[in-house]
């Protein structure tokens, strides 16, 4: 009974070694290497595509930010002009005050 169990273990071990050796041969074959190269090339193409898209998004975000800052500066100038007009300051005084505030 014990010999049958040992024989079964030995058979499983030998099968594993055989399968491992065959697996190494298959993984090291020319076809497998060609497959690895094609997969790596596809990965590099995907990386280039993602990086191009990320660069475009970043450029668009910078443009949007610049336009938003321009709009805010125009609105701030309009508010300042409206407040100076309400206080009775002449236009020249408003321009001088704006220059002083900018410095």
């Amino acid at each position: 009974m014990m010999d049958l169990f040992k024989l079964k273990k030995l058979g499983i071990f030998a099968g594993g070694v055989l399968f491992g050796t065959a697996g190494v041969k298959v993984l090291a074959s020319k076809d497998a290497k060609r497959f690895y190269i094609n997969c790596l090339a596809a990965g590099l193409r995907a990386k280039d595509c993602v990086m191009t898209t990320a660069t475009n998004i970043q450029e668009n975000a910078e443009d949007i930010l610049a336009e938003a800052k321009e709009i805010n500066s125009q609105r701030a100038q309009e508010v300042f002009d409206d407040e100076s007009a309400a206080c009775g300051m002449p236009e020249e005084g408003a321009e001088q005050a704006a220059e002083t505030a900018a410095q």
Side-chain angles (χ1 to χ4, degrees), residues 16-17 26 32 45 47 59 66 74 88 92 96:
V17 169
V26 168
R45 286 191 304 270
K47 177 190 163 217
E59 289 172 356
Q74 288 175 356
E92 294 174 3
Q96 290 174 353

Side-chain angles (χ1 to χ4, degrees), residues 5-88:
F5 185 67
K6 287 183 181 180
L7 188 61
K8 184 178 179 181
K9 280 184 148 182
L10 185 62
I12 291 174
F13 176 75
V17 169
L18 200 64
F19 182 74
T21 304
V24 169
K25 294 283 186 182
V26 168
L27 293 175
S29 69
K30 287 184 180 181
D31 289 335
K33 286 181 183 178
R34 193 175 309 124
F35 175 74
Y36 305 147
I37 292 169
N38 287 332
C39 286
L40 184 59
L44 291 173
R45 286 191 304 270
K47 177 190 163 217
D48 289 341
C49 182
V50 168
M51 292 305 292
T52 301
T53 302
T55 302
N56 289 341
I57 290 171
Q58 185 176 11
E59 289 172 356
N60 289 340
E62 289 171 356
D63 292 344
I64 291 169
L65 178 63
E67 289 181 29
K69 285 182 179 181
E70 180 64 28
I71 289 170
N72 282 340
S73 67
Q74 288 175 356
R75 285 190 181 177
Q77 185 63 36
E78 289 173 4
V79 169
F80 185 75
D81 289 344
D82 289 345
E83 288 178 359
S84 63
C87 293

